[in-house]
Amino acid sequence: MKTAKVFGWTLPFHWIAALTGRGQSGRIPSKSRRFVTCGRRIRAYCAARLPLWAALVFAQGSLLCPAAPATGLASRAWQTKDGLPENTVQAFAQTADGFLWAGTTGGLVRFDGDSFTTFDHSTAPAFEESDVLSLLVTSDGSLWIGTDGGGLIRYRDGIFSHFAAPQGLDDGFVRAIFEDRERRLWVGTGSGLFRWNGDARRPFTRIRGSAVADVQMLYEDRGSNLWVAGSQLYQLRNGRLQAQRFRNRDSKDDPIKAMIQSGDGTLWVGSLSGLSSRKKNQKDFVHLNGITGAVTSLLIADNSTLWIGTASDGLFTLKNHVLARANAFPAAPRTSILSLFQDSGHDIWIGTQAGLVELIHSPVSIIHFPKGATSDSATVYVDRHNTVWVASRRLYTVHGKSLTPVSIPQLADVNIQCVWSDKDDSLWLGTNGDGIYHVTQKGAVHYTTQNGLVNNFIRVIIGGRDDTVWVGTDSGVSYYLHGVMRHLGIGDSLRNESIRAIHPDRFGDVWIGGSLGLSRLHNGKFVENAITKALRSEKVWSIYEGSRGTFWFGTRYGGLYGFQNNRVVHFTTAQGLISDSIYKMVGDGKGGLWLSGPAGISSLSMNDLYAFGETGVRDLHPRTYYISDGQQTVQFYGGTQPAGWNGASGDIWFSSNHGPVHIIPDHDSPPLPRLRIKRIVVDGRTIDEGNKVVLGPDDTTLEINYAPILLKPQKIMRYQYKLDGFDKSWQDVFGRKTAYFTKLPAGHFVFRVRAYYADQLSRFAETSITVVRRPVFYSTWWFFSLIALAVCLLVVTGHLWKVRQVDSRFRAILEERSRVAREVHDTLIQGCASVSAFLEASSNISGDRDLKEEYVNFARSQISITMDEARRTVWNLRHGGETQGDIRKIISDMADQMSKEFGVTISCTFRGRKVELDSITLHEATMIVREALMNALLHGDAGRVEIVTRCDLYQLSISVRDDGKGFDDSQVSDKGHYGLKGMRERTTMVGGAFSLQTGVGNGTVITFTLPLAS
């Protein structure tokens, strides 16, 4: 016989059912019907005599039905405000890369779990119509898209291809697409059935046969039979469509929208009239009672549950022959279900006229408050019988997937804040301003400040050793022992005024946390230690005692503190916590510590926490959990305890504004997502995705956006990236999915990014992309090569210049020596030669004293002239000579003097204009003429010399012609004869041209021309 315990009484279950009028299903059990009358009388008596006990028996009786397991499904929802082009979602598909594709009335959308990308006529010309009715991914990886009037579209390798009448598909209203086991593609349209034939020009063929029209659904059963449904039901046999019997009890016109086969071989058909089934080896379809609206979609999930979407009555589930309305999820739509789909991660997607909904398999579920209930704070507590109590203005118990209100007439208008059950199964109920109620079998005792309570606003109720019940209030601590309520206050050395947490430990001490820190009551006295001193400025909201004598303290704003062997350790978000605010800590008995806070729920490994005392490792790696009602934020409560508790089976409960949150810890490793480079932005411009990013020399900023393809909530993911060749270590980020780089140096880099779960650092998904930064021209190899070449050329040029300078100096020295030699030759030597000639002539005269004297006077005069010329030459060598002079006058004077000296006729002829020569040219020309005259008079034995001077606008030409004996110029040696060489050098020095015409016995003609400045 099944029994249950109520306030210490062990009663048969059918007695409880009779008393409460309920069984497991809410109906009176058949074997208990004979007790109904008695039960009603007992309830009436209890209501009259023991109203409180009767109400609690009713509440306990509701819990005695075995509770259904947690749903294990969380929900999310999206609408146009979240990125959908339109709210009506009509079809789903998932490609091999993990993307979810959804067909809407506003286009095709691709979803990576976080953001949508829309394809329509504006982004892909293949979409002649944006209303997408059907989707299918075939075995070759192609995505097929059926539109409402725009034909069929194939998406493969990033290219959209359109199929319509020219390709044999002469109906553009594509309602259904299907690929059978033989990989043949079938297309159902508003006017019939088509098949892909593989022809390149006309790939679609219409199926002939029965008059099938308005195909809504295509399905292949396990017997490889292809079913075609619309206004009628057909089966394809031997290439022909044959009508099948599908009768509706109310109407002959019953269009079919969905078909699926369950594991036992049963065919399920959704039609306008509801849901029908045909079991294996049966011929007729049987209508299922309970669903009256049109069934639009069917899905068999991997747990053998049949999900049923209706057009006007919401979502249903069918499992183990039990039909239930799927109303446990606020995001689950109540009406207009258009499509159902299960992705590769086993989550369920629902397309509706009001948006997109995802039901996520999760260890977390929410038991929602009854409709209309309000909650500004809540606590949750599990007693020793595994009954879950919830206090939130009024008292509830968890029954299956719902909360059952507990009716206590004496507390009808009391705002209940917290609940506790002692070893006698009596209840302690803390209120917000009305003290404490102790509910027993004998009735309720009310404690306020009038009978021992320190304050009427209750924050904490907890049991201690020796049957003590500790009560934390807004202004101190009270405790109940042996029927008497006493209190501790500020005068008792209690550090806190507003109490938020109380923990009686296993050693008999009591730890009290509140708005002014932490206090420790030891042997009836408050004592100080390292942890109480460390927490003086913190608000302590939660206390947890570990299994190794370690105590953990959660604070409102300061993170997590640990205390062991008089040593304090402190953890914050810097060490990995998801928030520095901790509302409640609960252990699961399997090495996990669970924390609630404003950022949600997370779990920590106790081994990580204990490591601080053993290895000094202080980094934490919490696992976070997604908890949401659609897109609504779930707010967890703290500051009033118990804000969380653990069940007998290791499950965890936390209080929230939506109702108690139930967690069944799942220690399996979740699958890793696929990671991709989503977008690359260089200096504000988006560039095409590829395997390489090339930055120009002028590009300064690089932004790489990465994202996982994960159809589950992505907030639990963490990321790290590294630019190999630039970053020395991995850069850790939490929620941000963008890497920024500025002013990268030139070179080749590899950007690598990893996605991982916080508690599984060794498991990660990774992707990479090459980044190339082209250098500026002055830092390229060729530029450096040019610079090196230029430096080499400069060195060589410098060397050559230096050599040239040395050579020039040497040449200058030689030139100066040659000049001095010429001057000496043309002045001193020539003068000396004249004197020698006069003296020689004088010595040869014996009788003619006058002539001899004349020769001597000529010699004396020549010495004077030679000395003057020598002085003039020295002056010219030092000062550059006169500035300018008339060459004709100089030549005329020179001819007169030499004619007298040598007694030879020298004639001068001047032609052209008069010209004033600069000092250098004048000097050189004079010396050339003089040398030519001296050669003719001294060596040529000339009897007559003619000097012809011609001057035009551009040049001066001087010819010295004699009628002497001439010579053979080929036999002339430079050794000891410097006259001709000197004349040539002088002519060349001033840029002129020199010519010599002579022969033995033919006289000599010396001509030189000098250029004149314009």
Side-chain angles (χ1 to χ4, degrees):
M1 178 182 295
K2 197 169 186 179
T3 62
K5 207 167 200 179
V6 180
F7 294 138
W9 296 1
T10 302
L11 300 177
F13 182 80
H14 59 273
W15 273 86
I16 302 298
L19 288 172
T20 61
R22 289 185 169 186
Q24 292 184 13
S25 62
R27 303 187 181 92
I28 300 175
S30 58
K31 72 175 185 177
S32 301
R33 289 173 184 165
R34 65 180 181 270
F35 297 103
V36 171
T37 303
C38 179
R40 289 173 180 171
R41 293 175 180 175
I42 292 175
R43 288 201 305 275
Y45 175 81
C46 291
R49 308 293 177 136
L50 296 173
L52 179 61
W53 182 85
L56 289 177
V57 168
F58 180 81
Q60 286 281 91
S62 300
L63 294 171
L64 292 177
C65 300
T71 62
L73 291 173
S75 57
R76 295 195 295 171
W78 295 267
Q79 294 180 320
T80 53
K81 61 183 176 62
D82 306 304
L84 283 175
E86 292 186 9
N87 283 335
T88 302
V89 181
Q90 304 175 122
F92 293 102
Q94 187 178 19
T95 46
D97 54 14
F99 283 113
L100 179 77
W101 300 80
T104 75
T105 53
L108 176 69
V109 294
R110 186 183 68 187
F111 187 49
D112 63 2
D114 183 66
S115 60
F116 295 95
T117 302
T118 301
F119 301 93
D120 53 20
H121 184 71
S122 63
T123 58
F127 284 86
E128 295 182 357
E129 173 59 51
S130 296
D131 191 347
V132 177
L133 297 175
S134 54
L135 293 172
L136 176 72
V137 176
T138 52
S139 56
D140 64 352
S142 300
L143 173 66
W144 294 87
I145 306 139
T147 66
D148 190 15
L152 183 67
I153 301 170
R154 181 180 64 189
Y155 179 75
R156 185 166 63 185
D157 299 329
I159 299 174
F160 289 97
S161 303
H162 183 247
F163 297 89
Q167 290 78 35
L169 192 66
D170 53 13
D171 188 342
F173 295 86
V174 180
R175 309 290 176 79
I177 315 171
F178 189 79
E179 184 183 38
D180 62 20
R181 291 183 179 88
E182 297 181 5
R183 298 185 177 182
R184 293 176 299 184
L185 183 67
W186 301 86
V187 178
T189 72
S191 62
L193 180 65
F194 294 81
R195 187 183 68 189
W196 178 272
N197 58 35
D199 185 88
R201 298 184 61 185
R202 195 174 178 84
F204 284 98
T205 302
R206 179 185 287 272
I207 300 301
R208 305 295 178 181
S210 299
V212 60
D214 193 21
V215 177
Q216 298 284 337
M217 185 277 309
L218 297 169
Y219 184 74
E220 185 179 26
D221 62 23
R222 294 180 182 177
S224 298
N225 299 307
L226 183 65
W227 296 82
V228 183
S231 56
Q232 297 293 327
L233 181 62
Y234 296 87
Q235 193 177 90
L236 186 67
R237 293 180 179 177
N238 300 322
R240 297 183 64 86
L241 292 171
Q242 299 180 8
Q244 300 294 306
R245 184 169 59 182
F246 177 75
R247 293 182 179 178
N248 179 267
R249 56 185 177 178
D250 298 325
S251 173
K252 294 182 180 180
D253 186 13
D254 193 13
I256 298 171
K257 294 287 293 184
M259 176 180 282
I260 202 166
Q261 190 173 28
S262 56
D264 60 0
T266 302
L267 277 174
W268 298 89
V269 177
S271 66
L272 183 64
S273 62
L275 183 65
S276 302
S277 66
R278 190 182 78 174
K279 293 185 177 181
K280 189 177 181 180
N281 299 325
Q282 290 184 351
K283 295 183 178 180
D284 297 328
F285 285 90
V286 178
H287 189 82
L288 179 69
N289 294 325
I291 298 178
T292 58
V295 173
T296 57
S297 54
L298 297 172
L299 171 68
I300 295 181
D302 51 7
N303 61 356
S304 301
T305 299
L306 176 64
W307 293 77
I308 307 157
T310 69
S312 59
D313 205 20
L315 187 64
F316 293 82
T317 60
L318 180 63
K319 186 175 183 180
N320 298 328
H321 307 288
V322 177
L323 181 68
R325 185 183 294 275
N327 58 359
F329 321 103
R334 303 295 192 269
T335 59
S336 62
I337 308 295
L338 301 179
S339 56
L340 294 170
F341 180 75
Q342 187 174 35
D343 64 24
S344 59
H346 308 289
D347 294 335
I348 295 172
W349 296 83
I350 307 169
T352 77
Q353 288 185 343
L356 174 64
V357 177
E358 179 188 17
L359 301 182
I360 308 164
H361 287 273
S362 170
V364 181
S365 59
I366 303 174
I367 312 299
H368 294 88
F369 287 120
K371 188 176 182 180
T374 59
S375 172
D376 52 7
S377 65
T379 57
V380 60
Y381 165 68
V382 183
D383 65 16
R384 62 193 183 97
H385 301 295
N386 208 31
T387 300
V388 182
W389 299 85
V390 179
S392 177
R393 292 185 175 269
R394 57 182 305 179
L395 188 63
Y396 302 89
T397 55
V398 176
H399 180 226
K401 301 177 183 179
S402 61
L403 289 176
T404 301
V406 177
S407 177
I408 304 176
Q410 291 184 358
L411 280 70
D413 298 325
V414 176
N415 185 347
I416 300 175
Q417 290 285 90
C418 44
V419 58
W420 172 264
S421 175
D422 59 23
K423 67 177 183 178
D424 296 327
D425 293 331
S426 62
L427 293 179
W428 294 82
L429 305 176
T431 70
N432 189 21
D434 206 17
I436 289 181
Y437 288 85
H438 184 199
V439 182
T440 67
Q441 299 177 25
K442 298 179 181 179
V445 180
H446 189 197
Y447 294 95
T448 64
T449 54
Q450 301 298 321
N451 53 355
L453 197 63
V454 67
N455 188 281
N456 288 333
F457 290 85
I458 310 303
R459 295 293 184 181
V460 185
I461 301 178
I462 193 75
R465 300 180 64 186
D466 303 327
D467 300 327
T468 303
V469 177
W470 293 89
V471 180
T473 73
D474 271 352
S475 60
V477 176
S478 296
Y479 62 95
Y480 174 86
L481 182 63
H482 305 310
V484 179
M485 183 72 71
R486 299 179 177 87
H487 69 265
L488 301 172
I490 302 301
D492 299 299
S493 301
L494 181 65
R495 290 189 52 82
N496 296 281
E497 192 169 277
S498 180
I499 306 302
R500 301 293 179 151
I502 301 176
H503 176 74
D505 67 22
R506 70 188 69 176
F507 307 107
D509 292 351
V510 179
W511 300 82
I512 303 170
S515 59
L516 296 178
L518 179 69
S519 299
R520 181 186 181 189
L521 184 64
H522 177 71
N523 294 329
K525 295 182 179 180
F526 288 100
V527 296
E528 289 278 347
N529 57 18
I531 188 63
T532 59
K533 294 177 182 178
L535 292 172
R536 280 181 178 175
S537 59
E538 299 286 358
K539 296 181 178 181
V540 180
W541 276 29
S542 183
I543 304 172
Y544 178 77
E545 184 178 359
S547 59
R548 304 183 186 180
T550 305
F551 291 89
W552 302 96
F553 303 92
T555 66
R556 180 64 178 90
Y557 301 110
L560 177 65
Y561 286 82
F563 178 67
Q564 184 183 42
N565 298 328
N566 209 36
R567 180 184 174 188
V568 178
V569 67
H570 185 201
F571 297 100
T572 64
T573 53
Q575 285 76 44
L577 291 180
I578 66 171
S579 174
D580 286 335
S581 293
I582 299 173
Y583 294 165
K584 181 63 178 177
M585 296 182 291
V586 178
D588 60 11
K590 298 181 180 179
L593 180 64
W594 296 73
L595 290 74
S596 68
I601 299 294
S602 62
S603 63
L604 294 168
S605 170
M606 295 299 297
N607 292 330
D608 286 349
L609 292 173
Y610 290 137
F612 82 88
E614 300 172 357
T615 63
V617 178
R618 299 190 56 173
D619 286 340
L620 302 178
H621 308 291
R623 176 183 288 191
T624 57
Y625 292 84
Y626 177 79
I627 303 170
S628 174
D629 278 349
Q631 300 288 57
Q632 302 177 43
T633 302
V634 174
Q635 176 186 342
F636 290 90
Y637 286 140
T640 301
Q641 303 295 346
W645 209 263
N646 58 333
S649 59
D651 54 333
I652 307 295
W653 294 85
F654 286 104
S655 59
S656 79
N657 61 334
H658 287 214
V661 174
H662 189 200
I663 305 172
I664 301 177
D666 179 12
H667 299 285
D668 294 335
S669 298
L672 287 171
R674 193 184 293 256
L675 197 59
R676 68 187 177 107
I677 302 298
K678 188 175 181 180
R679 187 178 60 175
I680 300 171
V681 180
V682 177
D683 282 353
R685 66 183 188 277
T686 302
I687 65 177
D688 294 336
E689 300 179 22
N691 296 324
K692 180 187 288 188
V693 181
V694 179
L695 305 179
D698 298 328
D699 294 330
T700 57
T701 62
L702 172 63
E703 175 184 329
I704 303 177
N705 180 256
Y706 49 86
I709 304 175
L710 179 64
L711 299 183
K712 297 181 182 296
Q714 299 181 5
K715 292 183 179 180
I716 62 176
M717 299 301 303
R718 290 194 177 186
Y719 307 92
Q720 57 180 195
Y721 64 81
K722 181 183 180 184
L723 188 62
D724 285 343
F726 181 77
D727 291 325
K728 295 182 179 179
S729 60
W730 288 91
Q731 309 295 315
D732 291 307
V733 291
F734 181 65
R736 180 166 57 88
K737 289 180 283 189
T738 303
Y740 299 95
F741 301 95
T742 58
K743 298 182 179 179
L744 287 175
H748 286 68
F749 311 93
V750 176
F751 175 79
R752 300 164 59 196
V753 59
R754 292 174 176 175
Y756 63 95
Y757 298 100
D759 59 337
Q760 300 178 27
L761 300 181
S762 60
R763 295 177 64 243
F764 54 83
E766 182 174 336
T767 189
S768 63
I769 189 172
T770 301
V771 178
V772 178
R773 171 68 186 273
R774 294 202 311 268
V776 293
F777 74 93
Y778 50 79
S779 61
T780 57
W781 67 268
W782 56 265
F783 182 81
F784 284 111
S785 300
L786 289 178
I787 292 296
L789 180 60
V791 170
C792 292
L793 290 176
L794 186 61
V795 171
V796 172
T797 302
H799 176 71
L800 294 177
W801 178 81
K802 185 175 182 181
V803 171
R804 185 172 296 176
Q805 288 291 102
V806 173
D807 184 67
S808 177
R809 292 192 187 98
F810 184 71
R811 288 177 179 274
I813 293 172
L814 291 180
E815 180 66 27
E816 191 65 20
R817 291 178 60 185
S818 298
R819 178 185 174 191
V820 171
R822 290 194 301 270
E823 296 297 331
V824 170
H825 176 273
D826 293 342
T827 56
L828 294 178
I829 294 178
Q830 295 289 4
C832 291
S834 298
V835 172
S836 175
F838 284 126
L839 293 178
E840 182 70 25
S842 176
S843 64
N844 292 330
I845 298 174
S846 58
D848 191 346
R849 184 177 180 86
D850 293 335
L851 181 59
K852 187 174 183 178
E853 182 70 22
E854 184 178 1
Y855 282 157
V856 171
N857 290 334
F858 279 143
R860 186 182 299 109
S861 177
Q862 185 61 46
I863 290 174
S864 177
I865 293 171
T866 301
M867 292 179 65
D868 290 340
E869 288 181 348
R871 291 189 186 97
R872 188 181 304 111
T873 299
V874 172
W875 174 266
N876 290 338
L877 289 174
R878 290 182 175 273
H879 302 286
E882 299 177 358
T883 57
Q884 60 183 9
D886 185 2
I887 187 63
R888 293 185 297 181
K889 183 176 185 304
I890 294 176
I891 290 175
S892 179
D893 293 341
M894 187 187 304
D896 289 343
Q897 181 180 355
M898 287 188 176
S899 177
K900 292 177 180 180
E901 291 177 0
F902 292 95
V904 177
T905 301
I906 300 175
S907 63
C908 296
T909 302
F910 301 102
R911 297 174 182 173
R913 66 187 182 91
K914 177 182 178 182
V915 64
E916 294 286 336
L917 299 179
D918 61 85
S919 60
I920 295 176
T921 305
L922 180 63
H923 176 73
E924 300 301 332
T926 301
M927 291 297 103
I928 294 171
V929 172
R930 177 173 180 174
E931 179 66 21
L933 289 175
M934 292 297 294
N935 287 339
L937 296 175
L938 292 178
H939 306 294
D941 296 332
R944 181 178 177 80
V945 179
E946 181 182 5
I947 301 174
V948 179
T949 302
R950 298 180 180 87
C951 183
D952 58 21
L953 186 60
Y954 301 104
Q955 67 181 8
L956 172 67
S957 176
I958 300 177
S959 296
V960 180
R961 180 188 300 271
D962 65 67
D963 57 356
K965 59 183 179 181
F967 61 92
D968 185 359
D969 61 347
S970 62
Q971 301 298 322
V972 178
S973 173
D974 289 341
K975 187 176 182 179
H977 303 282
Y978 303 105
L980 291 175
K981 182 178 180 181
M983 286 188 286
R984 287 191 177 94
E985 289 178 352
R986 290 181 184 277
T987 303
T988 303
M989 188 179 68
V990 293
F994 179 86
S995 67
L996 170 66
Q997 295 179 3
T998 184
V1000 178
N1002 295 325
T1004 302
V1005 179
I1006 294 175
T1007 304
F1008 64 93
T1009 60
L1010 304 177
L1012 299 178
S1014 59

